[in-house]
Amino acid sequence: MSNSVIIREAKKEDMHQVCQLIKDLAVFENCEDQCKMTPELLMEDGFDTENPLFKSFVADRNNQVIGYAIYFNSYSTWLGKSTFLEDLYVDSKYRGQGIGRKLFLSVAKVAKQNKSKRLDLHCLAWNPALEFYKKIGATNITESESWNYVRINGCDLDKLFD
């Protein structure tokens, strides 16, 4: 068997392995207590609906998913169609082999084919991947434009209607 890595579109049956990698990412980001994802939810939201909420690429090595990228269409009121890269993660045992770059380029290619005007993502300030993104031409708009990433979590969202 070959040890080569294939980047391909994710399939429904990959979601158990992708979910484990999502949990690994949450551990890496020191947020494992916040990760509530299940394979069933991934399957429902990405595959069991007429309008999937996300699309995904996986890095496949001998039928083992060792990395993934999840993205979705978004919209800029200034520019139009956009793509948002929600997650890009490679198992720590396989980093430094260009797999993350290949996953990223797969998403970027889709964004270009879809005529997206931009590809957005977020990255923790301490994550070494931030340097990778800067090297390939990404702009840290927190620094350049003083944009803040803001979130209202489920409990607080519920409180708006209490």
Short mmCIF file of all heavy atoms in Angstrom, two decimals, residues 46-47 96 112 126-127 135:
data_model
loop_
_atom_site.label_atom_id
_atom_site.label_comp_id
_atom_site.label_asym_id
_atom_site.label_seq_id
_atom_site.Cartn_x
_atom_site.Cartn_y
_atom_site.Cartn_z
N GLY A 46 -24.12 18.46 6.54
CA GLY A 46 -23.31 18.50 5.33
C GLY A 46 -23.75 17.56 4.23
O GLY A 46 -23.32 17.73 3.08
N PHE A 47 -24.58 16.59 4.56
CA PHE A 47 -24.89 15.57 3.56
C PHE A 47 -26.36 15.19 3.49
O PHE A 47 -26.83 14.75 2.44
CB PHE A 47 -24.06 14.31 3.84
CG PHE A 47 -22.58 14.56 3.74
CD1 PHE A 47 -21.85 14.96 4.85
CD2 PHE A 47 -21.92 14.45 2.52
CE1 PHE A 47 -20.49 15.22 4.75
CE2 PHE A 47 -20.57 14.71 2.41
CZ PHE A 47 -19.85 15.09 3.53
N GLY A 96 3.99 19.42 8.51
CA GLY A 96 5.29 19.71 7.92
C GLY A 96 5.53 18.99 6.61
O GLY A 96 6.63 18.99 6.09
N LYS A 112 -12.12 30.30 -6.14
CA LYS A 112 -11.84 30.93 -7.44
C LYS A 112 -12.84 30.46 -8.51
O LYS A 112 -13.37 31.27 -9.26
CB LYS A 112 -10.41 30.61 -7.86
CG LYS A 112 -9.94 31.30 -9.12
CD LYS A 112 -8.46 31.06 -9.32
CE LYS A 112 -7.96 31.53 -10.66
NZ LYS A 112 -8.03 32.94 -10.87
N TRP A 126 -1.82 32.97 18.53
CA TRP A 126 -0.65 32.18 18.91
C TRP A 126 -0.42 30.97 18.00
O TRP A 126 0.58 30.27 18.14
CB TRP A 126 -0.76 31.71 20.36
CG TRP A 126 -2.01 30.94 20.68
CD1 TRP A 126 -3.14 31.44 21.25
CD2 TRP A 126 -2.27 29.56 20.43
NE1 TRP A 126 -4.08 30.45 21.37
CE2 TRP A 126 -3.57 29.27 20.88
CE3 TRP A 126 -1.53 28.52 19.87
CZ2 TRP A 126 -4.15 28.01 20.78
CZ3 TRP A 126 -2.11 27.26 19.77
CH2 TRP A 126 -3.40 27.02 20.23
N ASN A 127 -1.33 30.72 17.08
CA ASN A 127 -1.22 29.55 16.22
C ASN A 127 -0.12 29.77 15.17
O ASN A 127 -0.16 30.75 14.43
CB ASN A 127 -2.56 29.29 15.54
CG ASN A 127 -2.61 27.98 14.78
OD1 ASN A 127 -1.59 27.45 14.35
ND2 ASN A 127 -3.82 27.47 14.62
N LYS A 135 2.39 34.22 4.76
CA LYS A 135 3.33 33.91 3.67
C LYS A 135 2.63 33.73 2.33
O LYS A 135 3.19 34.04 1.29
CB LYS A 135 4.12 32.64 3.98
CG LYS A 135 5.26 32.84 4.92
CD LYS A 135 6.02 31.53 5.09
CE LYS A 135 7.01 31.63 6.23
NZ LYS A 135 7.64 30.34 6.54
#
